[in-house]
Amino acid sequence: MESNVKVQRQEGAKVCLMSPEQLRNKFPWINTDGVALASYGMEHEGWFDPWCLLQGLRRKVQSMGVLFCHGEVTRFISSSDHMETRSGEEVTLKRIHEVHVKVDRSLEYQPVECAIVINAAGAWSGQIAQLAGIGKGPPGTLQGTKLPVEPRKRYVYVWHCPQGPGLETPFVVDPSGVYFRREGLGNNYLGGCSPTEEEEPDPGNLEVDHDFFQDKVWPSLAQRVPAFETLKARSSWAGYYDYNTFDQNGVVGPHPLVINMYFATGFSGHGLQQAPAVGRAVAEMVLQGHFQTIDLSPFLFSRFYLGEKVQEHNIV
């Protein structure tokens, strides 16, 4: 935690460290048993509605001429070139020229010619990468390295507690992994916890496991905030993380073999916080003649050069 705070301060964040006694004095409703240290953001902190942000961005870009087409990508049409690496490994470079999109409520597909494909398909980006032939080579090779992103189901719960923490309550993350914050002004709270690898739920549906709240979330909540002993669960929902199984960090930049497919995926639950910067970064990569990629995955080169500039082409 001390190391994290040092990095955050170097980047300009106003963050302080608190001893258990300081934590109790500022937030008397917290039980500090087992706590050695706490970090607290002192300014520019808060939360926002992700759906509202998304809709705001969509409306803005639509007003600027962007066309949204709802459908399912079913196929990529590409050309290939063969080359040999310095180590003598033969690799195939692909360039996508056309995407087949099955439009909603139709049995037909729409062919879309394109110069650039941006894979920002979230939890399903791994499947899209496979459609483009990524990861279908021999195991242990660059061509056989898959995009390590898959859907992981997560639950969010809302509960009511009249005697719960007041309006000064920050977003709290417990060492157990349980988190919570206030939801509105009516003593409602929102929170949850990521399961262990052994507890990972079936991502094939979005049904909520209410026993997970009773058995895993509530005990930690009540231990850290004694007032939550009397909470009453009110509602819940489930959603997907685009989970990077390699290191839970985002994969950003062009693929080294499918040279006009760019990734913006794998953020494992914190993508919304980074979305504006990642969107700008990918746009800059696409529109410049050479690129500096963010090396967050074992199969991305730290530098990649594409010798042609992209102008007035379709971007899928």
Side-chain angles (χ1 to χ4, degrees):
M1 182 174 285
E2 289 174 337
S3 176
N4 288 344
V5 167
K6 182 179 179 180
V7 172
Q8 292 161 6
R9 286 174 174 170
Q10 288 173 347
E11 296 302 318
K14 193 173 182 181
V15 184
C16 71
L17 290 169
M18 292 183 177
S19 67
E21 182 180 4
Q22 291 171 320
L23 186 62
R24 279 194 304 269
N25 289 337
K26 187 166 184 63
F27 304 111
W29 40 266
I30 285 185
N31 173 17
T32 58
D33 289 351
V35 173
L37 196 65
S39 66
Y40 177 66
M42 295 183 288
E43 68 177 15
H44 306 314
E45 296 283 353
W47 47 82
F48 54 91
D49 187 317
W51 181 252
C52 287
L53 175 65
L54 174 62
Q55 295 309 306
L57 291 172
R58 286 172 64 94
R59 292 193 185 104
K60 178 61 177 178
V61 297
Q62 283 176 315
S63 74
M64 299 171 70
V66 171
L67 173 66
F68 283 90
C69 175
H70 295 273
E72 178 184 358
V73 173
T74 59
R75 187 183 180 191
F76 293 103
I77 306 297
S78 59
S79 60
S80 300
D81 289 309
H82 301 283
M83 63 167 286
E84 188 175 293
T85 65
R86 290 178 180 176
S87 62
E89 178 187 354
E90 289 189 1
V91 296
T92 301
L93 297 181
K94 290 185 176 181
R95 176 181 291 276
I96 297 170
H97 298 285
E98 186 176 281
V99 182
H100 290 183
V101 179
K102 184 177 177 297
V103 182
D104 290 350
R105 296 181 294 278
S106 173
L107 297 178
E108 300 180 351
Y109 71 84
Q110 176 70 38
V112 181
E113 294 183 355
C114 59
I116 298 293
V117 176
I118 298 173
N119 186 347
W124 299 273
S125 55
Q127 298 176 26
I128 296 296
Q130 282 187 311
L131 278 178
I134 293 171
K136 292 188 176 181
T141 67
L142 185 62
Q143 296 182 87
T145 303
K146 297 180 179 180
L147 176 65
V149 177
E150 64 184 36
R152 294 285 180 96
K153 184 166 71 170
R154 295 292 180 263
Y155 310 119
V156 179
Y157 304 93
V158 176
W159 61 91
H160 182 68
C161 184
Q163 283 75 46
L167 295 177
E168 84 289 353
T169 304
F171 188 102
V172 178
V173 183
D174 188 71
S176 66
V178 169
Y179 68 88
F180 73 90
R181 64 168 173 83
R182 284 184 63 95
E183 175 72 343
L185 303 176
N187 289 101
N188 294 316
Y189 302 84
L190 177 153
C193 180
S194 292
T196 64
E197 286 288 333
E198 295 75 22
E199 297 169 334
E200 281 291 346
D202 177 11
N205 61 69
L206 287 176
E207 295 178 1
V208 175
D209 183 353
H210 299 284
D211 290 337
F212 186 77
F213 180 79
Q214 295 292 330
D215 299 337
K216 301 294 182 179
V217 180
W218 188 16
S220 295
L221 287 172
Q223 192 277 332
R224 187 60 58 208
V225 182
F228 283 157
E229 285 277 5
T230 59
L231 67 78
K232 183 176 181 180
R234 284 199 161 175
S235 61
S236 58
W237 66 88
Y240 291 115
Y241 276 3
D242 53 334
Y243 192 85
N244 181 346
T245 58
F246 178 68
D247 64 1
Q248 293 80 63
N249 284 309
V251 181
V252 180
H255 191 273
L257 299 182
V258 183
I259 59 176
N260 62 335
M261 175 175 275
Y262 291 76
F263 294 125
T265 184
F267 296 98
S268 308
H270 49 266
L272 192 68
Q273 301 169 22
Q274 300 173 337
V278 170
R280 179 172 178 174
V282 173
E284 290 175 351
M285 290 180 197
V286 168
L287 295 175
Q288 292 176 1
H290 54 276
F291 312 101
Q292 175 75 48
T293 71
I294 303 170
D295 189 6
L296 295 177
S297 176
F299 61 82
L300 282 183
F301 294 145
S302 59
R303 286 182 182 270
F304 184 79
Y305 180 79
L306 179 62
E308 62 175 323
K309 293 190 176 181
V310 179
Q311 294 180 347
E312 298 181 358
H313 290 302
N314 286 340
I315 296 177
V316 176

